[in-house]
Coordinates of all heavy atoms in Angstrom, one line a residue:
L11 N -7.6 -6.5 1.3 CA -8.4 -7.6 1.8 C -8.2 -7.7 3.3 O -7.7 -8.7 3.8 CB -8.1 -8.9 1.1 CG -8.5 -9.1 -0.3 CD1 -7.9 -10.4 -0.9 CD2 -10.0 -9.1 -0.4
D12 N -8.6 -6.7 4.1 CA -8.5 -6.7 5.5 C -9.7 -7.4 6.1 O -10.6 -6.7 6.6 CB -8.3 -5.3 6.1 CG -7.0 -4.6 5.6 OD1 -6.1 -5.3 5.4 OD2 -7.0 -3.4 5.4
L13 N -9.7 -8.7 6.0 CA -10.9 -9.5 6.5 C -10.4 -10.6 7.5 O -9.2 -11.0 7.4 CB -11.6 -10.1 5.3 CG -12.2 -9.0 4.3 CD1 -12.4 -9.6 2.9 CD2 -13.5 -8.5 4.9
P14 N -11.3 -11.0 8.4 CA -10.8 -11.9 9.4 C -10.6 -13.3 9.0 O -9.9 -14.1 9.7 CB -11.9 -11.8 10.5 CG -13.1 -11.3 9.8 CD -12.6 -10.5 8.6
T15 N -11.2 -13.8 7.9 CA -10.9 -15.2 7.5 C -10.6 -15.3 6.0 O -11.0 -14.4 5.2 CB -12.2 -16.1 7.8 OG1 -13.2 -15.6 6.9 CG2 -12.7 -16.0 9.2
V16 N -9.9 -16.4 5.7 CA -9.6 -16.6 4.3 C -10.9 -16.8 3.5 O -11.0 -16.4 2.3 CB -8.7 -17.9 4.2 CG1 -8.5 -18.3 2.7 CG2 -7.4 -17.6 4.9
Y17 N -11.9 -17.5 4.1 CA -13.2 -17.7 3.4 C -13.8 -16.4 3.0 O -14.2 -16.2 1.9 CB -14.1 -18.5 4.4 CG -15.5 -18.7 3.8 CD1 -15.7 -19.7 2.8 CD2 -16.6 -17.9 4.2 CE1 -17.0 -19.8 2.3 CE2 -17.8 -18.1 3.7 CZ -18.0 -19.0 2.7 OH -19.3 -19.2 2.2
Q18 N -13.8 -15.4 4.0 CA -14.4 -14.1 3.6 C -13.6 -13.4 2.5 O -14.2 -12.7 1.7 CB -14.5 -13.2 4.9 CG -15.7 -13.6 5.8 CD -15.5 -13.0 7.1 OE1 -14.8 -13.5 8.0 NE2 -16.2 -11.9 7.4
A19 N -12.3 -13.6 2.6 CA -11.4 -12.9 1.5 C -11.7 -13.6 0.2 O -11.9 -12.8 -0.8 CB -10.0 -13.1 1.9
E20 N -11.8 -14.9 0.1 CA -12.1 -15.5 -1.1 C -13.5 -15.1 -1.7 O -13.6 -14.9 -2.9 CB -12.0 -17.1 -1.0 CG -10.6 -17.5 -0.9 CD -10.4 -19.0 -0.5 OE1 -11.4 -19.6 0.1 OE2 -9.3 -19.6 -0.7
K21 N -14.5 -15.0 -0.8 CA -15.8 -14.6 -1.2 C -15.7 -13.1 -1.8 O -16.4 -12.8 -2.8 CB -16.8 -14.6 0.0 CG -17.3 -15.9 0.4 CD -18.5 -16.3 -0.5 CE -18.6 -17.8 -0.7 NZ -19.0 -18.3 -1.9
M22 N -14.9 -12.3 -1.1 CA -14.8 -10.9 -1.6 C -14.2 -10.9 -3.0 O -14.7 -10.1 -3.9 CB -13.9 -10.1 -0.6 CG -13.8 -8.6 -0.9 SD -15.4 -7.7 -1.0 CE -16.0 -7.9 0.7
V23 N -13.2 -11.7 -3.2 CA -12.5 -11.7 -4.5 C -13.5 -12.2 -5.6 O -13.6 -11.7 -6.7 CB -11.3 -12.7 -4.5 CG1 -10.7 -12.9 -5.9 CG2 -10.2 -12.1 -3.6
E24 N -14.4 -13.2 -5.2 CA -15.4 -13.7 -6.1 C -16.4 -12.6 -6.4 O -16.8 -12.4 -7.6 CB -16.1 -14.9 -5.4 CG -16.6 -15.9 -6.3 CD -17.3 -17.0 -5.4 OE1 -16.5 -17.7 -4.6 OE2 -18.5 -17.1 -5.4
T25 N -16.8 -11.9 -5.4 CA -17.8 -10.8 -5.6 C -17.3 -9.7 -6.5 O -18.0 -9.2 -7.3 CB -18.2 -10.2 -4.2 OG1 -18.7 -11.2 -3.4 CG2 -19.2 -9.1 -4.3
L26 N -16.0 -9.4 -6.3 CA -15.5 -8.3 -7.1 C -15.1 -8.7 -8.5 O -15.1 -7.8 -9.4 CB -14.2 -7.7 -6.4 CG -14.5 -7.0 -5.0 CD1 -13.3 -6.6 -4.3 CD2 -15.5 -5.8 -5.2
G27 N -14.9 -10.0 -8.7 CA -14.7 -10.5 -10.1 C -13.7 -9.7 -10.9 O -12.7 -9.4 -10.4
D28 N -14.1 -9.5 -12.2 CA -13.1 -8.8 -13.0 C -13.0 -7.3 -12.8 O -12.3 -6.6 -13.5 CB -13.4 -9.1 -14.5 CG -14.8 -8.7 -14.9 OD1 -15.4 -8.0 -14.1 OD2 -15.2 -9.0 -16.1
A29 N -13.8 -6.8 -11.8 CA -13.7 -5.3 -11.6 C -12.4 -5.0 -10.9 O -12.0 -3.8 -10.9 CB -14.9 -4.9 -10.7
V30 N -11.7 -6.0 -10.3 CA -10.5 -5.7 -9.6 C -9.4 -6.7 -10.0 O -9.6 -7.9 -10.1 CB -10.7 -5.8 -8.0 CG1 -9.4 -5.7 -7.3 CG2 -11.7 -4.7 -7.6
S31 N -8.2 -6.2 -10.2 CA -7.1 -7.0 -10.7 C -5.9 -7.1 -9.7 O -5.0 -7.8 -9.9 CB -6.6 -6.6 -12.1 OG -6.1 -5.3 -12.0
F32 N -6.0 -6.3 -8.6 CA -4.9 -6.1 -7.7 C -5.4 -6.1 -6.3 O -6.3 -5.4 -5.9 CB -4.2 -4.8 -8.0 CG -2.7 -4.8 -7.8 CD1 -1.9 -4.0 -8.5 CD2 -2.1 -5.5 -6.8 CE1 -0.5 -3.9 -8.4 CE2 -0.7 -5.5 -6.6 CZ 0.1 -4.7 -7.4
Y33 N -4.8 -7.0 -5.4 CA -5.3 -7.1 -4.0 C -4.1 -6.9 -3.1 O -3.0 -7.4 -3.4 CB -5.9 -8.5 -3.8 CG -7.3 -8.6 -4.4 CD1 -7.4 -9.3 -5.6 CD2 -8.4 -8.1 -3.8 CE1 -8.7 -9.3 -6.2 CE2 -9.6 -8.2 -4.4 CZ -9.8 -8.8 -5.6 OH -11.0 -8.9 -6.2
K34 N -4.5 -6.4 -1.9 CA -3.5 -6.3 -0.9 C -3.8 -7.2 0.3 O -5.0 -7.2 0.7 CB -3.4 -4.8 -0.3 CG -2.4 -4.6 0.7 CD -2.3 -3.1 1.1 CE -3.2 -2.7 2.2 NZ -2.8 -3.2 3.6
I35 N -2.9 -8.0 0.6 CA -3.0 -8.9 1.8 C -2.2 -8.3 2.9 O -1.0 -8.2 2.8 CB -2.6 -10.4 1.5 CG1 -3.5 -10.9 0.4 CG2 -2.6 -11.2 2.7 CD1 -3.2 -12.3 0.0
G36 N -2.8 -8.0 4.0 CA -2.1 -7.3 5.1 C -1.9 -8.3 6.3 O -2.1 -9.5 6.2
M37 N -1.6 -7.7 7.4 CA -1.4 -8.5 8.6 C -2.6 -9.3 9.1 O -2.4 -10.5 9.5 CB -0.9 -7.6 9.8 CG 0.5 -7.0 9.5 SD 1.0 -6.2 10.9 CE 2.1 -5.0 10.2
E38 N -3.7 -8.7 9.1 CA -4.9 -9.4 9.6 C -5.1 -10.7 8.9 O -5.2 -11.8 9.5 CB -6.2 -8.5 9.5 CG -7.4 -9.2 10.0 CD -8.7 -8.3 9.9 OE1 -8.6 -7.2 9.4 OE2 -9.7 -8.7 10.4
L39 N -5.2 -10.7 7.6 CA -5.5 -11.9 6.8 C -4.3 -12.8 6.8 O -4.4 -14.1 6.9 CB -5.8 -11.5 5.3 CG -6.4 -12.6 4.5 CD1 -7.6 -13.2 5.1 CD2 -6.7 -12.0 3.1
T40 N -3.0 -12.3 6.8 CA -1.9 -13.1 6.9 C -1.9 -14.0 8.2 O -1.7 -15.2 8.1 CB -0.6 -12.3 6.9 OG1 -0.5 -11.6 5.6 CG2 0.7 -13.1 7.0
Y41 N -2.2 -13.3 9.3 CA -2.2 -14.1 10.6 C -3.4 -15.0 10.7 O -3.5 -15.8 11.6 CB -2.1 -13.1 11.7 CG -0.8 -12.3 11.7 CD1 -0.8 -11.0 12.1 CD2 0.4 -12.9 11.3 CE1 0.4 -10.2 12.1 CE2 1.6 -12.1 11.2 CZ 1.6 -10.8 11.6 OH 2.7 -10.1 11.6
A42 N -4.4 -14.8 9.8 CA -5.6 -15.7 9.8 C -5.3 -16.9 8.8 O -6.3 -17.5 8.4 CB -6.8 -14.9 9.4
G43 N -4.1 -17.0 8.4 CA -3.8 -18.1 7.4 C -3.9 -17.8 6.0 O -4.1 -18.6 5.1
G44 N -3.8 -16.5 5.7 CA -4.0 -16.0 4.3 C -2.8 -16.0 3.4 O -3.0 -15.8 2.2
L45 N -1.7 -16.5 3.8 CA -0.5 -16.4 2.9 C -0.7 -17.3 1.7 O -0.3 -16.9 0.6 CB 0.8 -16.9 3.6 CG 1.6 -15.7 4.3 CD1 2.9 -16.3 4.9 CD2 1.9 -14.6 3.3
P46 N -1.3 -18.5 1.8 CA -1.5 -19.3 0.6 C -2.3 -18.6 -0.5 O -2.2 -19.0 -1.7 CB -2.2 -20.6 1.1 CG -1.8 -20.7 2.5 CD -1.7 -19.3 3.0

Side-chain angles (χ1 to χ4, degrees):
L11 287 172
D12 294 329
L13 295 162
T15 66
V16 173
Y17 176 77
Q18 281 165 280
E20 283 170 341
K21 282 276 152 214
M22 184 57 64
V23 171
E24 209 179 294
T25 301
L26 294 174
D28 60 6
V30 173
S31 60
F32 212 148
Y33 286 98
K34 183 172 89 72
I35 296 179
M37 292 188 208
E38 180 178 3
L39 190 56
T40 297
Y41 299 144
L45 271 185

